[in-house]
Amino acid sequence: TDDSLPINSGCYLVHFAGGQAVSVEKIEGCEDPDLTVNVQVLTQLVVGALTVDEALYLEGVQCPAPARLRDVFIRKDIHFTDGF
């Protein structure tokens, strides 16, 4: 879910190959999703700040088969500089 931009909320079908997402489409209805998270947790997973196993400790995260996503959402080194 994305409370800031509700149009982003919904169910997405994502296909991965070679360690990358190769297609993403928003779909109607969602039976047995592999992962249910809010946009804040999804962002942390995508940038590598969290692994799927770590995300499972957060409120509202549902992932019935985390082993399926361990190779998708991996911890990464993050280098972020900010200057004004």
Side-chain angles (χ1 to χ4, degrees):
T1 59
D2 185 347
D3 294 333
S4 299
L5 191 58
I7 195 168
N8 286 339
S9 295
C11 194
Y12 290 83
L13 182 60
V14 182
H15 292 278
F16 283 86
Q20 296 184 11
V22 292
S23 69
V24 178
E25 69 178 286
K26 190 171 185 177
I27 58 174
E28 292 297 321
C30 197
E31 295 182 25
D32 303 322
D34 291 326
L35 180 66
T36 303
V37 295
N38 62 35
V39 70
Q40 290 84 4
V41 174
L42 179 61
T43 300
Q44 292 177 64
L45 287 166
V46 169
V47 301
L50 290 177
T51 65
V52 170
D53 294 302
E54 293 167 334
L56 289 172
Y57 289 100
L58 300 174
E59 185 178 337
V61 175
Q62 297 175 21
C63 185
R68 294 181 67 183
L69 298 177
R70 285 188 183 122
D71 290 337
V72 175
F73 298 114
I74 59 172
R75 180 169 294 283
K76 300 172 192 151
D77 290 333
I78 301 171
H79 178 73
F80 200 107
T81 59
D82 192 4
F84 291 92

